Amino acid sequence: MRRWLFVGVTLCISVALWQSAAAQATEPVITADSAVVLDGQTGAILYAKDPDTPRAPASLTKIFTAIVALETAPLDTPLTVTAADLVGESSMGLHAGDHLSLRTALYGLLLASGNDAAMVIARNLGAEPGDTPQQSVARFVRQENALAEQLGLTHTHLENPHGLDQEGHVSSARDLAVVTRYALRNPQFRRIISTRTYEDGQYAFLQTNRLLGVYPGLLGGKTGITDRAGYCLMEVAERDGHTVIVVLLHSTAEAWYDDARTLLDFGFAQLAKQTALPTAQPSPLVPLAPSTPVTSTQTSSTSLSVSQPATGTTVVIQSAGPVARALAHPWQWLMASLVAMGGFLCLWVGAPATLGLIGLRRSRRRTAHTSARRQRSWQKSESVACERRTERHPGNVHHASITRQQKAISGRHGSDYSLGDVFTLLPSTDGSPHVVTFLPAQARTRRAIRLACEGNYQEAEREFLDALRSDRRYDFTQCPGFWQMPPAGYIAAARAYRLVQRTRDARSLLMVVRLSFGSTPLLDAELAQMSEGVFSQARSSPVNS
């Protein structure tokens, strides 16, 4: 009797822990070190992971730069470019002596993530008579820090307007989400981040945000990459009357967009189920007043609550651990007890049948083991027979010759490909295997074509470039489906040609595209760059995009 009582208690505890684990499984699993999901309407936090640790924000800094510029000057304000503005890395393609409007500079700032655009905006709009370029930029950055202080962003301090790594230049996931919510009030900011391409006759840009036009309801976003910051994203999506803002910092190249999708999905799911805990009323655009201290308490290893003493409200950021969750919902223990009692009765009544089933299962397992042993013996004999047949027919390829061909191809390409990477084995008519060669360059080109057809031109350019790095003499036009891309896809392929010093092929491809599709500002700008021999460093490196 004690044994059955012990079984019942064990079942009760197991069911309770299972319910707790199921509840925890609904929380998103992401790679980013810091992340926040914010309800754009109320300002309530739907999810947070290390939201207040100051980190390098990379080009998410440009959110501050854009909104301060939009609140400082009209869009038709003329701007000039000096050599001091050309700080390198990601660029919108400016040159010293250029003239452009604030509107164009903002598109270059948020679409192409131009560091030169950030410097031009900051120096022109921050300038006062007698200032040096450094003084003008510093004055504009002080305006950005003043905005952060106004919004109560206690973990933000900016040292430059573009986001390149610099000592003391930091922000947090929560602060960036709050300033994004503030910036979304401005219709021009919303319009710019939702634009996929921009052309004004002099400049042409492609959006660096790969989720735009791919994720349902995505309004726009901003990318950011530096060595210190890692891969950072801000994304805003609107669906079913809800707005979700996601900010993630210090993710990886493989995971940052997957992290963003996961968090957006989680945010909309939370709003749909109305499980988020909002404040008593929608929070203002200044969520935490500087005079109001914020206290944080850890209720468990996965729980964080933020209290505002002035209002007495508490926002739960992450769900509590299993013990706290069980205490908060005593009905779960009642249900677990009922289930445990039912299991106890089933065991009491069906114990003989259960033991019989266990014996039958063991018998079947022994039978299956014997059958598998016989099958392996048969396969071994067939393999020996196949090898003998192959030796009698030299025209067929066996494993040894495959290995020799693999080594030959590895030496020719300068790569150590595995057997699965280089060859695919298919059965021939007589049952012996033959080899189908796998071309890495062609496979990467196929992926690039698919990405270009989906409108993801930046990633397509990277795939084209990887294809040429695996085989520098590969011809894209030989890949099936190449001539079915939109014009921007061919520009991405031409840029890949250019980056491996195949400028003649790049120019020839663009000339064919112009003859086929006609002249466009983006195409003409690319041809002009090749004619002048101007190569943008930003095209060859994703740093601070």
Side-chain angles (χ1 to χ4, degrees), residues 110-137:
L110 295 176
L111 269 65
S113 196
N115 297 329
D116 47 0
M119 290 293 290
V120 166
I121 292 171
R123 184 183 56 78
N124 280 271
L125 300 188
E128 290 187 359
D131 275 352
T132 64
Q134 293 77 15
Q135 290 173 331
S136 300
V137 172

Side-chain angles (χ1 to χ4, degrees), residues 441-442 445 467-468 471-480 482-483 497 502 505 509:
Q442 184 173 4
T445 303
L468 293 179
D471 184 354
R472 295 181 66 87
R473 293 178 296 178
Y474 184 72
D475 182 2
F476 293 144
T477 63
Q478 301 303 312
C479 184
F482 180 77
W483 295 112
Y497 273 143
R502 290 174 57 179
D505 291 334
L509 174 60

